[in-house]
């Protein structure tokens, strides 16, 4: 099975880069590589991206410049993931989704171009590589009917259609601003009918369930 994982920056860095998590996450990935799975992993920028962007905004840097800061932060996180995977991964961070293909060794990306988030990189990567499954591993259990951080009675949605996903997408890009998924990513997923799961990646059992075709988080079909 060929899988793209979009690993949220808030999962890898909680709040700063998390050695224990990376160790356990890469152990899981190595186990599945040994079972014949192939992975492309796109890593987010998390807190470090937001902090640096916030400062640049105070100095009135433009959106494009702030996005470039965000991209660097994602690549920094990508590099520690590569360290944790050792020779199971390509040593360099992949900087474009052009002609991206699965390989026995894991390919790790961060951001690619300004004007989007790593959600779009992951959706694009899944489209270009013809992935069987796209996993968004974040610090939230899936997609809720309303924002669970604000509404304690919010309900986890176990299944959504591609059309529904668009409703939950962030409509306008702004450097460092986060939501369920960015619009460009939701549009790619819908157009190419990519099997997608949103789950809480802090609990590695959730990722393992998804890799084994079991119900977890929110599935888009
Ligand atoms: P993230 O993908 O990390 O944003 O990119 P996020 O939605 O905050 O996700 P988490 O918190 O890591 O899970 C961080 C910032 O980097 C820039 C954007 O400004 C984005 O907000 N970026 C990222 C780009 O401009 N292009 C990319 O391809 C990726």
């Amino acid at each position: 099975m060929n899988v793209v994982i979009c690993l949220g920056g808030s999962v890898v860095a909680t709040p700063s880069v998390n050695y224990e998590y990376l160790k356990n996450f890469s152990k899981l990935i190595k186990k599945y590589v040994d079972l014949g799975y192939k992975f492309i992993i796109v890593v987010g920028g998390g807190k470090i991206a937001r902090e640096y962007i916030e400062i640049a905004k105070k100095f009135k840097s433009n959106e494009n410049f702030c996005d470039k800061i965000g991209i660097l932060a994602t690549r920094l996180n990508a590099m520690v993931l590569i360290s944790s995977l050792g020779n199971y991964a390509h040593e360099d961070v992949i900087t474009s989704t052009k002609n991206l293909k699965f390989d026995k060794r894991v390919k790790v990306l961060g951001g690619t171009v300004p004007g989007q988030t790593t959600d779009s990189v992951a959706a694009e990567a899944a489209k270009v590589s013809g992935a069987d499954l796209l996993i968004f591993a974040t610090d939230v259990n899936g997609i809720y009917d309303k924002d669970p951080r604000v509404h304690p009675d919010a309900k986890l949605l176990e299944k959504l259609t591609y059309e529904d996903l668009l409703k939950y997408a962030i409509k306008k890009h702004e450097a460092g601003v986060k939501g369920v998924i960015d619009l460009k990513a939701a549009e790619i997923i819908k157009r190419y009918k990519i099997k997608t799961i949103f789950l809480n990646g802090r609990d590695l059992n959730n990722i393992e369930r998804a890799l084994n075709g079991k119900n977890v988080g929110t599935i888009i079909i």
Side-chain angles (χ1 to χ4, degrees):
M1 180 147 85
N2 295 342
V3 186
V4 172
I5 301 179
C6 187
L7 189 61
S10 49
V11 180
V12 182
T14 52
S16 65
V17 63
N18 187 331
Y19 169 71
E20 282 302 317
Y21 182 82
L22 282 168
K23 196 172 74 178
N24 295 328
F25 176 81
S26 58
K27 195 171 160 200
L28 176 79
I29 296 298
K30 288 176 189 175
K31 172 177 153 189
Y32 279 85
V33 168
D34 289 341
L35 289 170
Y37 283 60
K38 291 183 181 145
F39 294 95
I40 291 169
I41 303 176
V42 183
V43 189
K47 192 162 179 261
I48 185 171
R50 280 191 294 278
E51 278 179 358
Y52 278 66
I53 287 170
E54 206 177 291
I55 293 204
K57 278 186 177 168
K58 284 188 184 159
F59 287 116
K60 309 277 180 260
S61 292
N62 64 41
E63 280 293 312
N64 193 61
F65 189 87
C66 292
D67 280 344
K68 286 190 199 166
I69 294 180
I71 292 171
L72 282 180
T74 62
R75 290 183 181 164
L76 203 56
N77 286 335
M79 286 180 84
V80 280
L81 176 64
I82 291 173
S83 321
S84 72
L85 286 165
N87 55 16
Y88 276 72
H90 285 257
E91 193 182 290
D92 290 315
V93 178
I94 312 282
T95 54
S96 159
T97 51
K98 202 168 168 225
N99 299 324
L100 190 62
K101 288 184 185 66
F102 281 95
D103 183 61
K104 266 201 270 190
R105 285 166 80 196
V106 181
K107 292 186 176 173
V108 183
L109 295 85
T112 53
V113 291
Q116 60 180 26
T117 72
T118 45
D119 297 346
S120 289
V121 179
E124 190 72 27
K127 174 194 120 185
V128 174
S129 64
D132 302 307
L133 176 64
L134 169 59
I135 297 174
F136 285 93
T138 70
D139 57 356
V140 185
N141 292 340
I143 301 178
Y144 286 78
D145 59 348
K146 43 196 171 193
D147 189 342
R149 289 166 301 190
V150 186
H151 306 277
D153 63 331
K155 278 193 201 72
L156 180 73
L157 305 165
E158 284 176 12
K159 252 184 212 167
L160 279 182
T161 63
Y162 292 106
E163 284 74 23
D164 288 337
L165 180 64
L166 278 184
K167 286 191 240 154
Y168 290 91
I170 288 261
K171 299 293 179 271
K172 189 179 173 298
H173 174 76
E174 194 189 321
V177 172
K178 107 185 230 86
V180 171
I181 186 170
D182 77 35
L183 183 60
K184 188 174 157 195
E187 278 170 345
I188 295 170
I189 291 168
K190 177 174 178 271
R191 179 143 180 227
Y192 294 91
K193 303 223 172 321
I194 300 167
K195 184 178 171 190
T196 304
I197 297 176
F198 289 79
L199 53 75
N200 192 328
R202 282 195 180 159
D203 182 351
L204 293 173
N205 291 323
N206 290 335
I207 298 181
E208 197 149 17
R209 285 184 70 82
L211 295 178
N212 286 302
K214 293 190 183 141
N215 285 351
V216 59
T218 302
I219 183 161
I220 319 293
I221 39 169

